[in-house]
Amino acid sequence: MRYRMLGEDLKVSAVGLGCMGMSHAYGAPADEGEMTDLIAKAVDAGYTLFDTAESYGTDQDPHANERLVGRALKPYRHQVVIATKFGISFGKAGASAPHTVIPDSRPETIRRAVDGSLERLGTDYIDLYYQHRQDPDVPVEEVAGVMADLIREGKIRHWGLSAVGEDIIRRADKVCHVTAVQNRYSMMYRDTEKLFPVLEELHIGLVPFSPMANGFLTGKYAKVHQFGPGDYRAYMPQFTAESEAENRRLLQYLQDTAAAKGITDAQLSLAWMICKKPYIVPIPGSTKLARVLENGGAADVLLTPEEVAGIDKALDALPMSAVFGGSPVRKTE
């Protein structure tokens, strides 16, 4: 495993572990004992960045993922970086998405959220605390002011933003330096590349979520797949029958290019972004140890600038379907 810096001084593994799917979004939660063992083995493999959120859970336990991550990482607390998020809850499902997102970043809500996360994670500080989504009723400057207070109080050490553009980043950073931005980014969704100049100017890291388009770019879902109850992928356009033919050339290109390098499709997808910029740290998730180890191995794949540029050029020319862009944000239900 290689390591790199987010922001000015947050050192993390070049690949992090997204823990959401262990408790949320991909069907029934995984066995907690097995996930605890998986997280321990990820630490042994060199992972140091573990990502969760207060909203990742089930109807029975809306905060299940934080509890799991906190218990699993307790023996390694001072070896790892725990990232969690505040600021959203989920509303009723619609026809085109698994749920709606209800933002709430009022200062008093943030205060309750951070104390709840600290308790569930079993820690007295959070390494990296993200605003999960923007609240249209609370200016980001006000949120950044609360983050500055929490840093002074020692409850958090760094903070970040998720699913944001340049204007929000600049406004927030003026009040309290932003360490990382967590946005959707993959070979099938490259719009985030337009943020590279501002991230470099302000010394902010990029933590891509869905770096393999929710697993699609692993090549394991080339044929139409039936997802079970509670699995968000049933709503995602990249997994539909209509997209199968549209994405065939993309998947073949990945397979051929990865085979030529002696790596897997997943490792190629991750190495492409890791080698593109020194401040990019993807956080793929999995409930399978073999996949976690495979993804971590991408940190050791070195692509030359010419190879990265060649992949970019190929992607520009390849047809591909839309990818899931997230659930609709609604202030009230």
Side-chain angles (χ1 to χ4, degrees):
M1 181 70 75
R2 288 187 291 145
Y3 298 86
R4 50 186 42 190
M5 209 69 75
L6 290 177
E8 295 173 343
D9 60 357
L10 184 59
K11 185 178 180 181
V12 296
S13 50
V15 177
L17 181 59
C19 299
M20 178 189 74
M22 299 175 185
S23 314
H24 179 82
Y26 292 134
D31 179 82
E32 186 169 321
E34 292 177 5
M35 294 304 96
T36 299
D37 185 58
L38 183 150
I39 289 172
K41 287 184 168 62
V43 174
D44 289 343
Y47 280 84
T48 64
L49 175 62
F50 295 83
D51 184 88
T52 181
E54 67 167 350
S55 57
Y56 295 160
T58 65
D59 291 340
Q60 295 73 32
D61 184 359
H63 310 299
N65 199 240
E66 281 191 331
R67 298 185 212 280
L68 165 63
V69 169
R71 284 192 289 263
L73 289 176
K74 185 176 180 179
Y76 317 102
R77 180 63 190 99
H78 299 297
Q79 300 171 231
V80 299
V81 169
I82 297 177
T84 192
K85 311 177 197 71
F86 67 90
I88 66 168
S89 58
F90 296 127
K92 295 176 182 177
S96 60
H99 53 226
T100 58
V101 170
I102 305 169
D104 183 355
S105 286
R106 291 171 295 173
E108 61 270 26
T109 303
I110 297 173
R111 287 279 179 182
R112 288 195 300 270
V114 71
D115 288 341
S117 290
L118 287 167
E119 181 179 358
R120 288 185 293 272
L121 291 166
T123 183
D124 56 4
Y125 66 93
I126 293 165
D127 298 282
L128 179 55
Y129 200 41
Y130 291 103
Q131 184 185 22
H132 211 152
R133 292 292 183 272
Q134 289 299 294
D135 184 338
D137 293 339
V138 181
V140 73
E141 291 88 349
E142 188 171 355
V143 174
V146 177
M147 295 299 107
D149 289 341
L150 294 177
I151 290 171
R152 281 192 291 269
E153 294 165 19
K155 291 188 175 183
I156 70 173
R157 295 189 171 178
H158 302 265
W159 84 290
L161 298 158
S162 182
V164 290
E166 179 175 349
D167 177 62
I168 293 294
I169 294 169
R170 289 190 179 279
R171 287 166 52 194
D173 191 71
K174 283 182 181 178
V175 178
C176 181
H177 177 61
V178 175
T179 291
V181 166
Q182 186 176 131
N183 275 16
R184 185 180 305 276
Y185 181 46
S186 72
M187 288 182 168
M188 296 183 76
Y189 185 86
R190 294 170 60 199
D191 191 55
T192 297
E193 291 178 359
K194 68 186 180 186
L195 295 179
F196 288 174
V198 68
L199 297 177
E200 290 164 13
E201 175 191 341
L202 300 178
H203 305 288
I204 297 172
L206 176 63
V207 179
F209 68 85
S210 301
M212 291 182 284
N214 301 96
F216 183 79
L217 294 172
T218 64
K220 307 301 181 185
Y221 301 95
K223 299 296 182 183
V224 177
H225 189 86
Q226 294 298 316
F227 296 104
D231 195 320
Y232 291 10
R233 289 170 293 187
Y235 294 86
M236 297 181 183
Q238 64 266 40
F239 295 105
T240 63
E242 294 77 16
S243 297
E244 184 178 343
E246 197 172 7
N247 291 321
R248 191 171 295 138
R249 284 178 55 195
L250 168 64
L251 293 178
Q252 189 63 55
Y253 170 77
L254 290 179
Q255 182 179 332
D256 293 344
T257 307
K261 293 287 294 183
I263 58 178
T264 67
D265 298 11
Q267 288 173 330
L268 178 66
S269 294
L270 296 172
W272 163 77
M273 62 176 67
I274 292 169
C275 294
K276 180 170 288 197
K277 297 291 182 179
Y279 51 82
I280 295 179
V281 179
I283 48 168
S286 184
T287 59
K288 295 179 173 61
L289 178 60
R291 293 279 175 260
V292 171
L293 298 178
E294 175 186 341
N295 294 341
D300 297 319
V301 176
L302 299 179
L303 301 177
T304 67
E306 292 75 22
E307 287 175 314
V308 172
I311 293 171
D312 284 347
K313 185 176 180 180
L315 293 174
D316 288 339
L318 285 167
M320 59 185 75
S321 72
V323 294
F324 183 63
S327 298
V329 176
R330 294 178 182 163
K331 184 59 181 174
T332 58
E333 280 294 293

